[in-house]
Amino acid sequence: RSDRRFWRYLHSQQNFDGHLEAVMNIDTNAPAFARKEIVIHAPVEKVWQVQSDIEQWSTWQSDIVTAKLDGDLKAGTTFRWKAQGLSITSRLHTVEPCHRIGWTGVALGMSAIHNWRFEARGSDTLAITEESLSGWLTRLMKFFDPHFLEKSLEATLLRLKTKAEEN
């Protein structure tokens, strides 16, 4: 049921030509949603370079095994990745270099909307991430750990901070 709600929500984000709007909001009615942020002591260009290089995610995120972008880094491009035992197919909905990147994703029993925003703060960067998850697997994971999504976002932000602050 929530998977159908996700696809209806996704469809509602399309303009009259069927294209996704520039920014897709997370679904705050989903079974799981969270927002976290961190200050990274690196310029926004460096943080963007690390986060937007999808095919290199596995080099700094231990829970990601592989990630393959199926084209250019632009809205509408799909990418396929494996994380925590799940094979995920995602589609970029927002790509604004050094400012925003976001995607939707589907895996067995789960659908997601994940957004990142970056704000320059002098020589530092404020990284903000938010995600919503729907589907039976989401509900099961939430049953065993009600804060699993918050923990996941915090861990990813810390890994991004570590990688971006490397010299």
Side-chain angles (χ1 to χ4, degrees):
R1 190 179 86 172
S2 64
D3 287 341
R4 283 191 298 259
R5 186 174 69 214
F6 170 79
W7 290 113
R8 279 196 308 269
Y9 175 81
L10 183 62
H11 180 72
S12 73
Q13 300 300 306
Q14 296 177 338
N15 66 23
F16 65 92
D17 290 328
H19 294 94
L20 294 175
E21 293 297 321
V23 176
M24 179 182 293
N25 294 322
I26 63 165
D27 181 1
T28 57
N29 293 314
F33 66 92
R35 179 185 184 279
K36 295 291 178 181
E37 61 185 56
I38 197 168
V39 173
I40 299 173
H41 303 296
V44 70
E45 295 83 7
K46 172 73 177 197
V47 176
W48 171 261
Q49 174 197 358
V50 173
Q51 180 58 31
S52 67
D53 192 354
I54 293 168
E55 293 189 352
Q56 293 300 309
W57 281 355
S58 64
T59 65
W60 60 274
Q61 295 186 69
S62 58
D63 56 340
I64 296 178
V65 179
T66 62
K68 176 73 174 129
L69 188 64
D70 298 332
D72 296 331
L73 185 70
K74 64 180 183 179
T77 300
T78 59
F79 62 98
R80 299 167 205 293
W81 49 304
K82 292 186 181 189
Q84 299 180 349
L86 293 173
S87 294
I88 306 163
T89 300
S90 292
R91 181 177 183 206
L92 293 165
H93 63 73
T94 303
V95 178
E96 296 175 22
C98 297
H99 297 288
R100 297 177 192 267
I101 189 166
W103 57 86
T104 58
V106 292
L108 178 67
M110 190 177 290
S111 54
I113 302 171
H114 198 157
N115 294 328
W116 287 82
R117 195 172 76 226
F118 307 100
E119 297 176 7
R121 299 276 171 101
S123 60
D124 294 339
T125 302
L126 176 64
I128 303 160
T129 184
E130 56 184 9
E131 184 172 17
S132 59
L133 297 172
S134 300
W136 65 264
L137 184 57
T138 302
R139 286 192 220 54
L140 183 63
M141 292 171 68
K142 195 165 179 172
F143 175 79
F144 287 105
D145 182 357
H147 303 288
F148 80 94
L149 185 55
E150 290 89 345
K151 292 174 185 175
S152 174
L153 294 182
E154 286 173 354
T156 302
L157 281 167
L158 288 171
R159 288 186 205 112
L160 176 61
K161 177 180 176 69
T162 299
K163 181 67 177 174
E165 290 178 357
E166 287 179 354
N167 289 332

